[in-house]
Amino acid sequence: MRFFKKTNIPFVKFSKAAVTGSMILIAISIISVFLVRGLNYGIDFTGGSLSQVKFDNPTTTGQIRKGLSSVNLQNSVIQKTSGVNEFLIRSPQIEGVEDIPGEIRKGLEKLENPFEVRRTELVGPKIGEELRGSAIWAIIWAIVVIGIYITVRFKFQFAIGAVVALIHDVLITLGIFSLLQLEISLSTIAAFLTIVGYSLNDTIVLYDRVRENMKKRHLEKIGNIINISINEVLSRTIITSLTTFIVVLVLAFAPGEVRIFAIAMIIGVIVGTYSSINIAGPVVIYWQQRTRAKNK
């Protein structure tokens, strides 16, 4: 199945504009994460309590919050699950309060609506801090190992392009999460690692085609070869991205943590497809021109 029989879009011609746009987005992301909005860490990283509660009678998140406000837990995140009259309550760590689940029970009892606590999870602030560090290192090591793999399979200049594209995808996705104050949890980190793998898949397909065309068209400039290669794999890239996008779009309407995971994947699919076409290739061109200039 092909969307396009044959295209000749001059992607390389617009690479400077694409790279400039990406640099602006990355700058906005960095400013938002480190200077303005910050990141909205969930209880996985900050410490706190998660309770899954089922009520006998219908209720609303507003009524639950009203009950929790009586015990100073009004800042809790309340989410409706797929179950009937069932909710997830995420409460942050509060200084001086040791038994957060007990406080949640006290607040819910004031609603005069019989309920059952089906699940309770506790995360201490020290564990949350360790998880946050582990999550950051997991992403860093994934990118490093990918860079080594690309170097072995292709060339070092291709590895630079792939790594730059991956960092581009993670930073922009992280920036959007910061601007929208979407919660960063362990499932979000899983989505980020999935984005890294997804973006790499498109990039490797492109690099395979570039390598083939470099053998067939060894007299042509690298810019022309990459542009031809992008057009040759364009239909495949769009089909892969579109099918993945449709699946995660459906998941975005699901309640709970799946929704945040799906939102991260939606952003990642769009940004990853863009970077595979407009970032990975131009970086290889720039690096080869830089190497040739040094050799001369």
Side-chain angles (χ1 to χ4, degrees):
M1 179 180 177
R2 293 179 63 89
F3 275 173
F4 313 107
K5 290 184 178 180
K6 189 176 182 181
T7 59
N8 189 27
I9 303 171
F11 290 105
V12 174
K13 182 180 179 182
F14 304 114
S15 61
K16 287 185 179 180
V19 170
T20 302
S22 292
M23 290 177 68
I24 292 171
L25 290 176
I26 290 172
I28 293 172
S29 297
I30 292 173
I31 291 171
S32 178
V33 170
F34 294 104
L35 299 177
V36 183
R37 302 279 286 175
L39 293 173
N40 178 23
Y41 290 109
I43 63 169
D44 294 330
F45 300 122
T46 60
S49 167
L50 182 147
S51 298
Q52 184 175 348
V53 183
K54 179 176 175 58
F55 293 90
D56 288 354
N57 303 312
T59 187
T60 63
T61 56
Q63 291 173 330
I64 294 173
R65 193 175 302 281
K66 186 177 179 181
L68 294 176
S69 63
S70 63
V71 290
N72 296 321
L73 291 175
Q74 62 274 9
N75 292 328
S76 300
V77 177
I78 305 167
Q79 293 178 325
K80 180 77 172 65
T81 70
S82 56
V84 179
N85 300 328
E86 195 171 81
F87 294 83
L88 282 177
I89 301 173
R90 298 170 180 269
S91 300
Q93 191 74 31
I94 299 176
E95 190 175 349
V97 179
E98 294 183 1
D99 186 14
I100 295 179
E103 294 297 309
I104 291 174
R105 280 181 173 273
K106 289 179 184 178
L108 297 180
E109 285 170 356
K110 297 185 178 182
L111 299 178
E112 297 182 355
N113 185 351
F115 64 90
E116 173 194 358
V117 179
R118 296 193 158 185
R119 176 168 61 108
T120 298
E121 294 180 10
L122 293 172
V123 179
K126 181 65 177 176
I127 295 175
E129 187 177 343
E130 291 176 359
L131 286 173
R132 185 165 51 189
S134 298
I136 293 171
W137 279 110
I139 295 174
I140 292 173
W141 277 114
I143 293 175
V144 169
V145 171
I146 285 169
I148 295 171
Y149 167 73
I150 298 292
T151 302
V152 173
R153 179 168 176 177
F154 298 97
K155 293 180 180 179
F156 179 70
Q157 61 190 23
F158 288 95
I160 295 295
V163 169
V164 169
L166 294 178
I167 294 173
H168 166 278
D169 299 344
V170 172
L171 286 178
I172 291 180
T173 304
L174 203 62
I176 294 173
F177 264 69
S178 173
L179 289 168
L180 300 179
Q181 284 296 284
L182 296 172
E183 185 180 87
I184 303 289
S185 63
L186 287 176
S187 62
T188 312
I189 300 302
F192 280 16
L193 291 172
T194 307
I195 289 168
V196 168
Y198 179 86
S199 178
L200 177 67
N201 180 58
D202 277 347
T203 303
I204 286 181
V205 170
L206 171 62
Y207 284 171
D208 263 331
R209 188 57 58 90
V210 170
R211 183 168 58 181
E212 290 173 7
N213 286 331
M214 286 178 75
K215 294 177 181 178
K216 297 177 184 176
R217 306 168 181 266
H218 59 276
L219 296 178
E220 289 194 39
K221 293 182 179 179
I222 184 65
N224 293 336
I225 292 173
I226 287 180
N227 201 71
I228 291 168
S229 301
I230 293 174
N231 279 280
E232 287 178 350
V233 302
L234 183 61
S235 181
R236 181 260 177 207
T237 300
I238 290 177
I239 291 172
T240 304
S241 300
L242 189 60
T243 51
T244 307
F245 180 84
I246 292 171
V247 172
V248 294
L249 182 63
V250 173
L251 289 176
F253 293 97
E257 292 188 10
V258 175
R259 177 175 172 271
I260 300 297
F261 178 89
I263 290 173
M265 283 301 301
I266 288 171
I267 299 169
V269 168
I270 296 172
V271 177
T273 303
Y274 171 85
S275 67
S276 297
I277 295 173
N278 295 294
I279 302 298
V283 170
V284 173
I285 296 172
Y286 168 77
W287 197 265
Q288 189 173 74
Q289 290 174 345
R290 185 170 175 270
T291 304
R292 285 181 177 177
K294 278 188 175 182
N295 292 337
K296 288 181 180 179

